[in-house]
mmCIF file of all heavy atoms in Angstrom:
data_model
loop_
_atom_site.group_PDB
_atom_site.id
_atom_site.type_symbol
_atom_site.label_atom_id
_atom_site.label_comp_id
_atom_site.label_asym_id
_atom_site.label_seq_id
_atom_site.Cartn_x
_atom_site.Cartn_y
_atom_site.Cartn_z
ATOM 1 N N VAL A 298 7.871 -16.633 -2.783
ATOM 2 C CA VAL A 298 7.568 -15.776 -1.636
ATOM 3 C C VAL A 298 8.843 -15.520 -0.819
ATOM 4 O O VAL A 298 9.047 -14.411 -0.298
ATOM 5 C CB VAL A 298 6.387 -16.371 -0.823
ATOM 6 C CG1 VAL A 298 6.831 -17.308 0.268
ATOM 7 C CG2 VAL A 298 5.525 -15.281 -0.240
ATOM 8 N N ALA A 299 9.729 -16.522 -0.771
ATOM 9 C CA ALA A 299 10.990 -16.316 -0.038
ATOM 10 C C ALA A 299 11.854 -15.285 -0.760
ATOM 11 O O ALA A 299 12.435 -14.388 -0.140
ATOM 12 C CB ALA A 299 11.739 -17.641 0.106
ATOM 13 N N ALA A 300 11.916 -15.390 -2.091
ATOM 14 C CA ALA A 300 12.718 -14.427 -2.868
ATOM 15 C C ALA A 300 12.147 -13.014 -2.694
ATOM 16 O O ALA A 300 12.888 -12.050 -2.497
ATOM 17 C CB ALA A 300 12.735 -14.825 -4.341
ATOM 18 N N ALA A 301 10.816 -12.904 -2.747
ATOM 19 C CA ALA A 301 10.181 -11.589 -2.585
ATOM 20 C C ALA A 301 10.500 -11.021 -1.205
ATOM 21 O O ALA A 301 10.787 -9.821 -1.063
ATOM 22 C CB ALA A 301 8.671 -11.718 -2.782
ATOM 23 N N SER A 302 10.474 -11.871 -0.192
ATOM 24 C CA SER A 302 10.736 -11.405 1.177
ATOM 25 C C SER A 302 12.166 -10.885 1.305
ATOM 26 O O SER A 302 12.409 -9.846 1.940
ATOM 27 C CB SER A 302 10.522 -12.540 2.187
ATOM 28 O OG SER A 302 9.210 -13.026 2.070
ATOM 29 N N LEU A 303 13.104 -11.598 0.711
ATOM 30 C CA LEU A 303 14.507 -11.181 0.818
ATOM 31 C C LEU A 303 14.762 -9.888 0.036
ATOM 32 O O LEU A 303 15.463 -8.992 0.516
ATOM 33 C CB LEU A 303 15.422 -12.307 0.319
ATOM 34 C CG LEU A 303 15.469 -13.514 1.262
ATOM 35 C CD1 LEU A 303 16.108 -14.712 0.589
ATOM 36 C CD2 LEU A 303 16.231 -13.164 2.547
ATOM 37 N N LEU A 304 14.189 -9.780 -1.157
ATOM 38 C CA LEU A 304 14.386 -8.556 -1.959
ATOM 39 C C LEU A 304 13.778 -7.349 -1.251
ATOM 40 O O LEU A 304 14.333 -6.246 -1.271
ATOM 41 C CB LEU A 304 13.742 -8.722 -3.338
ATOM 42 C CG LEU A 304 14.437 -9.712 -4.283
ATOM 43 C CD1 LEU A 304 13.603 -9.915 -5.543
ATOM 44 C CD2 LEU A 304 15.831 -9.203 -4.656
ATOM 45 N N THR A 305 12.627 -7.570 -0.622
ATOM 46 C CA THR A 305 11.943 -6.463 0.060
ATOM 47 C C THR A 305 12.721 -6.054 1.305
ATOM 48 O O THR A 305 12.891 -4.856 1.580
ATOM 49 C CB THR A 305 10.499 -6.894 0.411
ATOM 50 O OG1 THR A 305 9.867 -7.302 -0.804
ATOM 51 C CG2 THR A 305 9.707 -5.766 1.047
ATOM 52 N N ALA A 306 13.206 -7.042 2.041
ATOM 53 C CA ALA A 306 14.002 -6.727 3.239
ATOM 54 C C ALA A 306 15.263 -5.954 2.850
ATOM 55 O O ALA A 306 15.657 -4.997 3.524
ATOM 56 C CB ALA A 306 14.363 -8.013 3.977
ATOM 57 N N ARG A 307 15.876 -6.350 1.744
ATOM 58 C CA ARG A 307 17.092 -5.649 1.304
ATOM 59 C C ARG A 307 16.776 -4.187 0.970
ATOM 60 O O ARG A 307 17.477 -3.274 1.413
ATOM 61 C CB ARG A 307 17.688 -6.335 0.064
ATOM 62 C CG ARG A 307 18.896 -5.590 -0.497
ATOM 63 C CD ARG A 307 19.488 -6.241 -1.721
ATOM 64 N NE ARG A 307 18.645 -6.118 -2.908
ATOM 65 C CZ ARG A 307 19.049 -6.435 -4.133
ATOM 66 N NH1 ARG A 307 20.265 -6.913 -4.327
ATOM 67 N NH2 ARG A 307 18.238 -6.296 -5.162
ATOM 68 N N ALA A 308 15.708 -3.975 0.190
ATOM 69 C CA ALA A 308 15.372 -2.603 -0.205
ATOM 70 C C ALA A 308 15.030 -1.750 1.017
ATOM 71 O O ALA A 308 15.457 -0.591 1.127
ATOM 72 C CB ALA A 308 14.198 -2.626 -1.188
ATOM 73 N N ALA A 309 14.264 -2.317 1.960
ATOM 74 C CA ALA A 309 13.867 -1.552 3.154
ATOM 75 C C ALA A 309 15.092 -1.255 4.019
ATOM 76 O O ALA A 309 15.233 -0.152 4.561
ATOM 77 C CB ALA A 309 12.813 -2.324 3.937
ATOM 78 N N TRP A 310 15.963 -2.229 4.148
ATOM 79 C CA TRP A 310 17.195 -2.027 4.931
ATOM 80 C C TRP A 310 18.014 -0.885 4.314
ATOM 81 O O TRP A 310 18.524 -0.011 5.020
ATOM 82 C CB TRP A 310 18.017 -3.327 4.951
ATOM 83 C CG TRP A 310 19.236 -3.244 5.818
ATOM 84 C CD1 TRP A 310 19.345 -3.622 7.129
ATOM 85 C CD2 TRP A 310 20.538 -2.736 5.437
ATOM 86 N NE1 TRP A 310 20.624 -3.373 7.591
ATOM 87 C CE2 TRP A 310 21.371 -2.833 6.584
ATOM 88 C CE3 TRP A 310 21.069 -2.215 4.267
ATOM 89 C CZ2 TRP A 310 22.706 -2.433 6.564
ATOM 90 C CZ3 TRP A 310 22.402 -1.794 4.251
ATOM 91 C CH2 TRP A 310 23.205 -1.912 5.397
ATOM 92 N N MET A 311 18.104 -0.877 2.978
ATOM 93 C CA MET A 311 18.892 0.176 2.306
ATOM 94 C C MET A 311 18.252 1.549 2.531
ATOM 95 O O MET A 311 18.947 2.534 2.783
ATOM 96 C CB MET A 311 19.003 -0.129 0.813
ATOM 97 C CG MET A 311 19.870 -1.341 0.565
ATOM 98 S SD MET A 311 20.053 -1.697 -1.168
ATOM 99 C CE MET A 311 21.339 -0.544 -1.601
ATOM 100 N N ALA A 312 16.935 1.614 2.444
ATOM 101 C CA ALA A 312 16.249 2.900 2.677
ATOM 102 C C ALA A 312 16.501 3.362 4.108
ATOM 103 O O ALA A 312 16.750 4.542 4.358
ATOM 104 C CB ALA A 312 14.760 2.746 2.415
ATOM 105 N N ASP A 313 16.450 2.429 5.049
ATOM 106 C CA ASP A 313 16.666 2.787 6.464
ATOM 107 C C ASP A 313 18.103 3.198 6.751
ATOM 108 O O ASP A 313 18.389 3.812 7.777
ATOM 109 C CB ASP A 313 16.272 1.602 7.367
ATOM 110 C CG ASP A 313 14.757 1.448 7.459
ATOM 111 O OD1 ASP A 313 14.052 2.428 7.162
ATOM 112 O OD2 ASP A 313 14.290 0.353 7.812
ATOM 113 N N HIS A 314 19.018 2.800 5.881
ATOM 114 C CA HIS A 314 20.432 3.141 6.096
ATOM 115 C C HIS A 314 20.912 4.212 5.109
ATOM 116 O O HIS A 314 22.120 4.320 4.847
ATOM 117 C CB HIS A 314 21.298 1.879 6.020
ATOM 118 C CG HIS A 314 21.081 0.986 7.202
ATOM 119 N ND1 HIS A 314 20.010 0.122 7.286
ATOM 120 C CD2 HIS A 314 21.748 0.860 8.374
ATOM 121 C CE1 HIS A 314 20.050 -0.511 8.442
ATOM 122 N NE2 HIS A 314 21.090 -0.077 9.126
ATOM 123 N N ASP A 315 19.926 4.989 4.580
ATOM 124 C CA ASP A 315 20.245 6.115 3.692
ATOM 125 C C ASP A 315 21.122 5.715 2.518
ATOM 126 O O ASP A 315 21.968 6.502 2.080
ATOM 127 C CB ASP A 315 20.917 7.262 4.477
ATOM 128 C CG ASP A 315 19.926 7.917 5.420
ATOM 129 O OD1 ASP A 315 18.734 7.969 5.065
ATOM 130 O OD2 ASP A 315 20.353 8.337 6.513
ATOM 131 N N GLU A 316 20.951 4.492 2.028
ATOM 132 C CA GLU A 316 21.694 4.100 0.831
ATOM 133 C C GLU A 316 20.817 4.357 -0.385
ATOM 134 O O GLU A 316 19.603 4.508 -0.259
ATOM 135 C CB GLU A 316 22.081 2.631 0.943
ATOM 136 C CG GLU A 316 22.986 2.414 2.144
ATOM 137 C CD GLU A 316 23.890 1.224 2.000
ATOM 138 O OE1 GLU A 316 23.997 0.679 0.897
ATOM 139 O OE2 GLU A 316 24.475 0.846 3.033
ATOM 140 N N ASP A 317 21.418 4.382 -1.543
ATOM 141 C CA ASP A 317 20.674 4.647 -2.771
ATOM 142 C C ASP A 317 19.817 3.405 -3.075
ATOM 143 O O ASP A 317 20.339 2.372 -3.474
ATOM 144 C CB ASP A 317 21.716 4.903 -3.875
ATOM 145 C CG ASP A 317 21.069 5.409 -5.130
ATOM 146 O OD1 ASP A 317 19.845 5.634 -5.110
ATOM 147 O OD2 ASP A 317 21.786 5.575 -6.136
ATOM 148 N N TYR A 318 18.510 3.534 -2.866
ATOM 149 C CA TYR A 318 17.676 2.331 -2.901
ATOM 150 C C TYR A 318 16.656 2.298 -4.045
ATOM 151 O O TYR A 318 15.870 1.358 -4.147
ATOM 152 C CB TYR A 318 16.924 2.181 -1.563
ATOM 153 C CG TYR A 318 15.943 3.294 -1.293
ATOM 154 C CD1 TYR A 318 14.629 3.193 -1.723
ATOM 155 C CD2 TYR A 318 16.344 4.450 -0.645
ATOM 156 C CE1 TYR A 318 13.730 4.227 -1.511
ATOM 157 C CE2 TYR A 318 15.453 5.487 -0.430
ATOM 158 C CZ TYR A 318 14.150 5.366 -0.856
ATOM 159 O OH TYR A 318 13.273 6.393 -0.656
ATOM 160 N N GLY A 319 16.654 3.337 -4.934
ATOM 161 C CA GLY A 319 15.615 3.440 -5.967
ATOM 162 C C GLY A 319 15.482 2.171 -6.803
ATOM 163 O O GLY A 319 14.381 1.651 -6.998
ATOM 164 N N LYS A 320 16.610 1.666 -7.307
ATOM 165 C CA LYS A 320 16.571 0.466 -8.134
ATOM 166 C C LYS A 320 16.064 -0.720 -7.318
ATOM 167 O O LYS A 320 15.263 -1.524 -7.785
ATOM 168 C CB LYS A 320 17.979 0.164 -8.681
ATOM 169 C CG LYS A 320 18.020 -1.093 -9.538
ATOM 170 C CD LYS A 320 19.422 -1.453 -9.978
ATOM 171 C CE LYS A 320 20.174 -2.154 -8.859
ATOM 172 N NZ LYS A 320 21.508 -2.620 -9.248
ATOM 173 N N HIS A 321 16.522 -0.812 -6.068
ATOM 174 C CA HIS A 321 16.150 -1.958 -5.230
ATOM 175 C C HIS A 321 14.669 -1.927 -4.861
ATOM 176 O O HIS A 321 14.035 -2.972 -4.724
ATOM 177 C CB HIS A 321 17.041 -2.000 -3.988
ATOM 178 C CG HIS A 321 18.486 -2.156 -4.350
ATOM 179 N ND1 HIS A 321 18.999 -3.343 -4.797
ATOM 180 C CD2 HIS A 321 19.497 -1.256 -4.401
ATOM 181 C CE1 HIS A 321 20.278 -3.182 -5.090
ATOM 182 N NE2 HIS A 321 20.609 -1.926 -4.851
ATOM 183 N N ALA A 322 14.125 -0.702 -4.716
ATOM 184 C CA ALA A 322 12.681 -0.587 -4.449
ATOM 185 C C ALA A 322 11.906 -1.106 -5.657
ATOM 186 O O ALA A 322 10.910 -1.832 -5.524
ATOM 187 C CB ALA A 322 12.317 0.867 -4.166
ATOM 188 N N ALA A 323 12.381 -0.740 -6.855
ATOM 189 C CA ALA A 323 11.700 -1.192 -8.079
ATOM 190 C C ALA A 323 11.817 -2.706 -8.230
ATOM 191 O O ALA A 323 10.842 -3.385 -8.581
ATOM 192 C CB ALA A 323 12.295 -0.481 -9.292
ATOM 193 N N VAL A 324 13.009 -3.255 -7.941
ATOM 194 C CA VAL A 324 13.205 -4.711 -8.042
ATOM 195 C C VAL A 324 12.256 -5.426 -7.081
ATOM 196 O O VAL A 324 11.579 -6.395 -7.438
ATOM 197 C CB VAL A 324 14.676 -5.084 -7.722
ATOM 198 C CG1 VAL A 324 14.841 -6.591 -7.558
ATOM 199 C CG2 VAL A 324 15.616 -4.557 -8.797
ATOM 200 N N ALA A 325 12.199 -4.929 -5.846
ATOM 201 C CA ALA A 325 11.364 -5.591 -4.828
ATOM 202 C C ALA A 325 9.889 -5.535 -5.227
ATOM 203 O O ALA A 325 9.174 -6.541 -5.180
ATOM 204 C CB ALA A 325 11.573 -4.921 -3.466
ATOM 205 N N LYS A 326 9.421 -4.355 -5.646
ATOM 206 C CA LYS A 326 7.986 -4.253 -5.986
ATOM 207 C C LYS A 326 7.678 -5.077 -7.224
ATOM 208 O O LYS A 326 6.672 -5.790 -7.266
ATOM 209 C CB LYS A 326 7.561 -2.792 -6.198
ATOM 210 C CG LYS A 326 6.053 -2.736 -6.489
ATOM 211 C CD LYS A 326 5.499 -1.365 -6.746
ATOM 212 C CE LYS A 326 3.988 -1.399 -6.950
ATOM 213 N NZ LYS A 326 3.532 -1.551 -8.315
ATOM 214 N N LEU A 327 8.540 -5.002 -8.224
ATOM 215 C CA LEU A 327 8.295 -5.765 -9.458
ATOM 216 C C LEU A 327 8.187 -7.256 -9.138
ATOM 217 O O LEU A 327 7.215 -7.921 -9.496
ATOM 218 C CB LEU A 327 9.429 -5.509 -10.460
ATOM 219 C CG LEU A 327 9.360 -6.292 -11.760
ATOM 220 C CD1 LEU A 327 8.131 -5.911 -12.567
ATOM 221 C CD2 LEU A 327 10.613 -6.052 -12.608
ATOM 222 N N HIS A 328 9.194 -7.771 -8.431
ATOM 223 C CA HIS A 328 9.190 -9.219 -8.180
ATOM 224 C C HIS A 328 8.038 -9.623 -7.258
ATOM 225 O O HIS A 328 7.314 -10.586 -7.536
ATOM 226 C CB HIS A 328 10.510 -9.691 -7.581
ATOM 227 C CG HIS A 328 10.468 -11.158 -7.270
ATOM 228 N ND1 HIS A 328 10.594 -12.123 -8.247
ATOM 229 C CD2 HIS A 328 10.204 -11.822 -6.122
ATOM 230 C CE1 HIS A 328 10.435 -13.314 -7.708
ATOM 231 N NE2 HIS A 328 10.210 -13.165 -6.421
ATOM 232 N N ALA A 329 7.873 -8.884 -6.169
ATOM 233 C CA ALA A 329 6.883 -9.312 -5.163
ATOM 234 C C ALA A 329 5.459 -9.233 -5.704
ATOM 235 O O ALA A 329 4.641 -10.130 -5.447
ATOM 236 C CB ALA A 329 7.008 -8.444 -3.900
ATOM 237 N N THR A 330 5.151 -8.192 -6.479
ATOM 238 C CA THR A 330 3.763 -8.062 -6.954
ATOM 239 C C THR A 330 3.476 -9.040 -8.090
ATOM 240 O O THR A 330 2.386 -9.609 -8.160
ATOM 241 C CB THR A 330 3.441 -6.618 -7.399
ATOM 242 O OG1 THR A 330 4.334 -6.230 -8.439
ATOM 243 C CG2 THR A 330 3.566 -5.645 -6.238
ATOM 244 N N GLU A 331 4.464 -9.253 -8.962
ATOM 245 C CA GLU A 331 4.266 -10.257 -10.021
ATOM 246 C C GLU A 331 4.150 -11.641 -9.391
ATOM 247 O O GLU A 331 3.305 -12.450 -9.771
ATOM 248 C CB GLU A 331 5.424 -10.211 -11.038
ATOM 249 C CG GLU A 331 5.479 -8.927 -11.866
ATOM 250 C CD GLU A 331 4.374 -8.837 -12.930
ATOM 251 O OE1 GLU A 331 3.851 -9.874 -13.364
ATOM 252 O OE2 GLU A 331 4.013 -7.697 -13.304
ATOM 253 N N ALA A 332 5.012 -11.926 -8.404
ATOM 254 C CA ALA A 332 4.972 -13.239 -7.733
ATOM 255 C C ALA A 332 3.635 -13.430 -7.028
ATOM 256 O O ALA A 332 3.044 -14.520 -7.073
ATOM 257 C CB ALA A 332 6.131 -13.343 -6.735
ATOM 258 N N ALA A 333 3.136 -12.367 -6.398
ATOM 259 C CA ALA A 333 1.852 -12.496 -5.684
ATOM 260 C C ALA A 333 0.744 -12.850 -6.674
ATOM 261 O O ALA A 333 -0.114 -13.703 -6.388
ATOM 262 C CB ALA A 333 1.524 -11.198 -4.944
ATOM 263 N N GLY A 334 0.766 -12.217 -7.857
ATOM 264 C CA GLY A 334 -0.233 -12.535 -8.882
ATOM 265 C C GLY A 334 -0.147 -14.003 -9.284
ATOM 266 O O GLY A 334 -1.157 -14.706 -9.377
ATOM 267 N N GLU A 335 1.080 -14.479 -9.495
ATOM 268 C CA GLU A 335 1.266 -15.878 -9.920
ATOM 269 C C GLU A 335 0.860 -16.843 -8.809
ATOM 270 O O GLU A 335 0.240 -17.885 -9.057
ATOM 271 C CB GLU A 335 2.750 -16.108 -10.280
ATOM 272 C CG GLU A 335 3.187 -15.402 -11.563
ATOM 273 C CD GLU A 335 4.705 -15.219 -11.662
ATOM 274 O OE1 GLU A 335 5.447 -15.831 -10.862
ATOM 275 O OE2 GLU A 335 5.129 -14.439 -12.520
ATOM 276 N N ILE A 336 1.206 -16.498 -7.584
ATOM 277 C CA ILE A 336 0.906 -17.393 -6.458
ATOM 278 C C ILE A 336 -0.602 -17.494 -6.242
ATOM 279 O O ILE A 336 -1.155 -18.586 -6.051
ATOM 280 C CB ILE A 336 1.645 -16.914 -5.186
ATOM 281 C CG1 ILE A 336 3.144 -17.165 -5.343
ATOM 282 C CG2 ILE A 336 1.090 -17.598 -3.929
ATOM 283 C CD1 ILE A 336 4.013 -16.519 -4.280
ATOM 284 N N VAL A 337 -1.275 -16.346 -6.290
ATOM 285 C CA VAL A 337 -2.735 -16.369 -6.088
ATOM 286 C C VAL A 337 -3.393 -17.173 -7.218
ATOM 287 O O VAL A 337 -4.285 -17.998 -6.984
ATOM 288 C CB VAL A 337 -3.304 -14.934 -6.004
ATOM 289 C CG1 VAL A 337 -4.822 -14.951 -6.057
ATOM 290 C CG2 VAL A 337 -2.827 -14.248 -4.731
ATOM 291 N N ASP A 338 -2.913 -16.972 -8.437
ATOM 292 C CA ASP A 338 -3.484 -17.704 -9.571
ATOM 293 C C ASP A 338 -3.277 -19.213 -9.400
ATOM 294 O O ASP A 338 -4.199 -20.016 -9.605
ATOM 295 C CB ASP A 338 -2.840 -17.211 -10.872
ATOM 296 C CG ASP A 338 -3.590 -17.711 -12.085
ATOM 297 O OD1 ASP A 338 -4.749 -17.300 -12.261
ATOM 298 O OD2 ASP A 338 -3.040 -18.534 -12.836
#
Side-chain angles (χ1 to χ4, degrees):
V298 90
S302 302
L303 289 167
L304 290 173
T305 304
R307 176 180 71 170
W310 185 94
M311 291 181 81
D313 286 340
H314 289 81
D315 291 327
E316 298 206 12
D317 189 4
Y318 64 90
K320 179 185 80 176
H321 299 286
V324 169
K326 182 181 183 269
L327 177 64
H328 177 77
T330 59
E331 293 287 336
E335 290 160 12
I336 289 170
V337 169
D338 192 66

